[in-house]
Amino acid sequence: MGTFLYSRQLLKVHRPPPCDSDSAFATKFAPLASSSCSGVGASHVAVMGLKLSKSSTGGSGGSIFRKTGESAHRGKAKVYGRQAQERVLEEEVPEVSEIQRPFKVFPGQAFPLGVSEIDNGINFAIFSQNATAVTLCLSLPQSGKAGRVDQELIELALDPHDNKTGDIWHICIEGVPRSNVLYGYRMDGPRGFNEGHRFDCNIVLIDPYAKLIEGRRFFGDTNHKLSKFLGTYDFDSLPFDWGEDYKLPNVPEKDLVIYEMNVRAFTADESSGLDSDIRGSYLGVIEKIPHLLELGVNAVELLPVFEFDEFEFQRRRNPRDHMINTWGYSTINFFAPMSRYASGGGGPVNASQEFKEMIKALHGAGIEVILDVVYNHTNEADDKNPYTTSFRGIDNKVYYMLDSNGHLLNFSGCGNTLNCNHPVVMELILDSLRHWVTEYHVDGFRFDLASVLCRGTDGSPLNAPPLIRAIAKDAMLSRCKIIAEPWDCGGLYLVGKFPNWDRWAEWNGKYRDDIRRFIKGDPGLKGSFATRLAGSADLYKVNKRKPYHSVNFVIAHDGFTLYDLVSYNFKHNDANGEGGNDGSNDNFSWNCGFEGETDDVKVKALRSRQMKNFHLALTVSQGVPMMLMGDEYGHSRYGNNNSYGHDTSLNHFQWTQLDARRKSHFRFFSEVIKFRQAHPQFCHEDFLSKNDVTWHEDNWDNLESKFLAFTLHDKNGGDIYLAFNAHDFFVQVAIPPPPKNRGWFRVVDTNLKSPDDFISEGVPGIGSTYNVAPYSSILFKAKP
């Protein structure tokens, strides 16, 4: 039997005024006049604003509710807000009208972790190996109130004898609502800092397995800058209707064309033309699917969409306290979609629903969805300036890598490193990935700083990391694209060497560097340029790996945009507040003769040519091409190569600029992508053989040669000839004979102005030679 508990929730409570200081924020849910945490874990629960009857003892799980005032004389009451004098606790809480709620409490069960609905009610289960006391904190629905993260909480202390199985603490409550309940945990345990413990029972912690997170409702809402975050759940909503005709796109990996984008930045700008309620939301993406189709991409790679706190930089004074985290590489929870990407401040339940609507709509358009996921660190920062919201306070010694002195290791560059190959953390990550696949139908994942996932619990590199293998072999993830960013901030550079089990693809950083250097005219790069165009066999022709295990990119979210790559020799990051010390110094960029914006016609023409050269090289390369949102119209961040903290036009897609360049720059980019998709010569399943390509080159050893020409053969005679000239002078090149009964048609010449720079049907009359202009490229197709 369970224990019956009858609560009468007062409609009016005596609460201290809200606090604004940073120290107050860190303890905003701390008990008044108490910092010792004594009483946490005892078999009672103190409740702010509740008048409760003593429970019966007819069964196990004998937790007892008490009024706040009952423990006031001991100075251990749980009242939430800023610190107050003990006399406040002695004051009588005024009784107004009351609502009676019956609860029945059972010991509960250890699995599944998180919140689940079982026969007896709602079950709560959380892992902590080192905690000695655990208290469940609940905020019940209140009429007319949304996002109640600053409201009073009900607390239920878990009995380690009845409510613990192994290292999992659990409790089941009958009668608690099936949705719209906020919850978190207080944890207490050993205080040995040098032993790796960081317990603090003053902080209400987020359940790592919470499927939804409640916090501030609107992105960048400064009125709730220091909002608390709590878990929530929803067992009332009907299952999402994916539709009778719904099907996954299942785009073959070799045919992918990936568009890296930020959900908010894609439509946040007023120029998107969308209603203010859906700008910067999941629904906003749906409205712009026609643009993605016109561009020709068939996969979007979304910058992080797990819950994060965009105001994390503004919690204390620091050089970055003017910044708003718009990229999202600072995860609070690995299961919950970013709630502030819901339309109109709709909250976590709507965010989940609208995320599914976005996935469904993209899939309906034949576009796959790949999530950029951050399992290498969390938002909880370092020991100097911790931001404890979950893992640190639940079991720091398990969830994070520590040195021999109990200090956090930092291979992420963000203050902490998730202990990915610890069995508990590994299972958390696998459960998270499975959740996004089964619940949200995502098609793949790009793993940020994935080399961290290749480190052991002490931080040392592993040859066969258990987590990497488990992801590769997991049945539920078998249909997913899995892509590694194969480096970390600790120097573990694994491009071409990432443990892969013939499944993992990689962001090919060597491709980026070699393509940039050749196109801008660096000497001695012709051989490397050819190798990258041909699929980087030097890196990936191992075991059963394929060309498509190389994700090719010239531009990604971090670093210069494509326009800035051809407009700036140096980064210009002063707006970031770190004196220009942040961001990479090794950009392999060239400003084409002038730093930054200019009206010089020749410089602008050269920049346009170079952007087209980069895009053509990317789209004709073997492997999977990835481009960055905004490069299709030439978006500029004005030389800022680390713009993660600017929720402005610096990052926001500028739809007016797209319209202005739709018939020129955008047209070229779109047509070249579609040309790739229409020609299998660019998407080989296996690495190129001698029958697939002819290199028109007998000068490989000439370090001063910056010209490369080759022909990709087609068994049906549709050969494609390409030439890239990175010299600053014209090169008259001998054109090889076309296949029998065919002639060469010029499809691309980046030296020509739009629309002549790309003619889809081709221009006939190509002779035996062709003058290739400085810093330009050409593509011919053999046709009857």
Side-chain angles (χ1 to χ4, degrees), residues 21 93 115 154 174 246 263 304 342 408-409 418 479 613 655 694:
S21 70
V93 177
V115 179
I154 298 172
E174 182 181 297
Y246 170 80
V263 167
L408 293 169
L409 293 171
L418 207 64
R479 71 168 182 83
N613 292 335
W655 294 91
T694 297

Side-chain angles (χ1 to χ4, degrees), residues 257 291 294-297 519 562 605-620 627 631-634 658 660-677 722-724 746-760 775-780:
V257 179
H291 169 71
E294 186 179 4
L295 180 59
V297 298
I519 294 293
L562 184 59
L606 177 55
R607 289 175 177 176
S608 175
R609 217 156 58 235
Q610 287 289 75
M611 285 190 283
K612 290 187 286 187
N613 292 335
F614 279 120
H615 187 61
L616 181 66
L618 177 66
T619 50
V620 302
M627 64 172 292
D631 281 348
E632 68 266 38
Y633 67 81
L658 171 67
R661 300 163 187 169
R662 185 175 296 278
K663 294 182 179 180
S664 53
H665 185 101
F666 174 80
R667 175 186 173 274
F668 181 88
F669 272 55
S670 173
E671 293 289 352
V672 169
I673 290 172
K674 293 170 183 175
F675 188 86
R676 172 189 172 88
Q677 293 179 329
L722 289 130
F724 291 86
R746 190 197 77 227
V747 178
V748 173
D749 186 338
T750 62
N751 184 53
L752 302 177
K753 294 182 179 180
S754 183
D756 294 326
D757 53 0
F758 185 98
I759 305 293
S760 58
Y775 300 110
S776 69
S777 46
I778 59 174
L779 183 153
F780 301 160

Side-chain angles (χ1 to χ4, degrees), residues 76-96:
K76 306 299 184 185
K78 304 296 181 192
V79 180
Y80 309 103
R82 70 193 316 173
Q83 295 289 338
Q85 300 299 320
E86 183 145 351
R87 61 178 175 78
V88 174
L89 295 177
E90 299 286 347
E91 295 175 358
E92 185 71 19
V93 177
E95 293 190 21
V96 197

Side-chain angles (χ1 to χ4, degrees), residues 45 65 68 144 170 526 612 614 636 688 702:
V45 181
F65 286 115
T68 303
H170 45 80
K526 180 164 60 175
K612 290 187 286 187
F614 279 120
S636 178
L688 299 179
N702 183 352

